Amino acid sequence: MGQRTADRGGWSLSYQEQGSGHPLVLLHGFCGSGAYWDEVVPLLDAHFRVIVPDLRGHGASGSPDEPCTIEQLADDIAALIDELGTEKAIVLGHSLGGYVTLALAERHADKLRAFGLIHSTAYPDDEKAKEGRLKGMQTIREQGLPVFIEGLVPKLFAPAHLETMPEAVRKAKEIGLGTSPEGAVRTLDAMRGRADRNAVLRAAELPLLLAAGEQDQIIPAERTFVVQGENVTQKLIPGTGHMSMMEAPKELANTILDWVASFA
């Protein structure tokens, strides 16, 4: 996939695009980048026009010199969908990307054909989590981003995979180090202040995918599987933590393909 950019008025949003067909937008998690999806895209690009952005402050994307909100991140993706001239897109968001996807569904539903959460939740941060965000911001400012990444990444994988998937863990750390330190701080603040969007899931009439990792230490399955209905597909991915796109890419890709086949 070649790196491309979309002008956002003073800064550029970086994205990659591969394949042809219906547009499928994959959004990465916090201190990630589009590279989180490297193992999944080749399994999907025969079926979709796969669009993989770097959220502002992450990867190769720039960022305006101002505080950040989840709503602004969603508006960035809405503008990218417009700029690419796509038909309504299927949007799947991992973790932070899921928070962005929910805001997109709330603010720009006309741009979506279907959407889903991958290891994500509609719940806001509770007080303990908000305190953790503040500590993360402090760590980055006082000790630097590498110290924060070293503490973060091991929690993202199922415990056994820290031993059995050392290259994936190394890659996740490497990707994390590509995050703008100030971008990371602003995004922590954005996640800390995000709204409860369970109502967005309850009101959704579009096809909805909820995928969770059996051993996710960040967002347990019960915080993902909060709605049921004819339009809702729930999938528990066995043996994975918070990073099924790296831990079980074939399983995740097949989950996406089976889900889309159920309504397309």
Side-chain angles (χ1 to χ4, degrees):
M1 291 192 293
Q3 208 78 28
R4 307 178 185 186
T5 58
D7 180 60
R8 290 291 288 134
W11 64 279
S12 293
L13 184 77
S14 181
Y15 68 96
Q16 298 183 64
E17 185 178 342
Q18 188 166 307
S20 60
H22 199 89
L24 171 66
V25 179
L26 301 175
L27 303 179
H28 63 80
F30 175 58
C31 282
S33 78
Y36 266 16
W37 300 97
D38 281 355
E39 302 298 315
V40 175
V41 171
L43 304 173
L44 297 175
D45 64 1
H47 307 272
F48 305 102
R49 178 187 180 188
V50 186
I51 299 159
V52 189
D54 292 345
L55 298 173
R56 67 165 71 183
H58 291 71
S61 284
S63 180
D65 186 17
E66 62 186 27
C68 170
T69 66
I70 297 298
E71 291 78 12
Q72 287 171 323
L73 294 173
D75 291 350
D76 292 342
I77 302 306
L80 177 63
I81 292 171
D82 278 346
E83 180 163 326
L84 293 177
T86 75
E87 53 196 306
K88 291 185 177 184
I90 299 168
V91 180
L92 297 173
H94 166 240
S95 197
L96 161 65
Y99 311 152
V100 176
T101 299
L102 286 166
L104 192 67
E106 183 178 64
R107 295 163 69 83
H108 304 283
D110 60 311
K111 302 190 189 309
L112 300 182
R113 183 185 185 194
F115 69 100
L117 307 182
I118 312 294
H119 310 297
S120 193
T121 182
Y123 284 104
D125 276 1
D126 60 18
E127 290 308 312
K128 182 180 178 182
K130 287 181 178 180
E131 186 62 31
R133 305 289 191 199
L134 289 176
K135 288 180 179 176
M137 294 161 71
Q138 183 178 13
T139 296
I140 294 168
R141 285 173 170 150
E142 295 180 0
Q143 300 178 56
L145 184 69
V147 172
F148 178 79
I149 295 297
E150 280 294 324
L152 171 68
V153 168
K155 299 173 188 173
L156 302 181
F157 289 82
H161 291 162
L162 297 178
E163 300 295 331
T164 61
M165 297 183 172
E167 278 303 303
V169 175
R170 181 200 60 75
K171 180 174 180 176
K173 288 181 179 179
E174 185 179 287
I175 292 168
L177 292 173
T179 310
S180 152
E182 191 55 40
V185 168
R186 290 171 179 157
T187 307
L188 281 166
D189 196 42
M191 292 190 291
R192 184 176 183 272
R194 76 183 186 280
D196 184 330
R197 289 198 163 90
N198 279 288
V200 176
L201 292 184
R202 289 193 296 269
E205 297 180 355
L206 295 173
L208 173 62
L209 174 64
L210 302 174
E214 183 184 34
Q215 299 180 40
D216 194 328
Q217 302 172 77
I218 306 296
I219 298 176
E222 60 266 23
R223 289 181 70 81
T224 301
F225 298 154
V226 295
V227 292
Q228 297 180 349
E230 291 185 3
N231 66 313
V232 180
T233 298
Q234 297 183 357
K235 175 66 176 180
L236 185 68
I237 303 178
T240 63
H242 196 63
M243 298 288 283
S244 62
M245 65 287 304
M246 288 188 178
E247 295 173 278
K250 289 182 181 178
E251 180 85 19
L252 179 58
N254 286 336
T255 294
I256 294 168
L257 290 169
D258 290 346
W259 169 62
V260 174
S262 73
F263 63 84

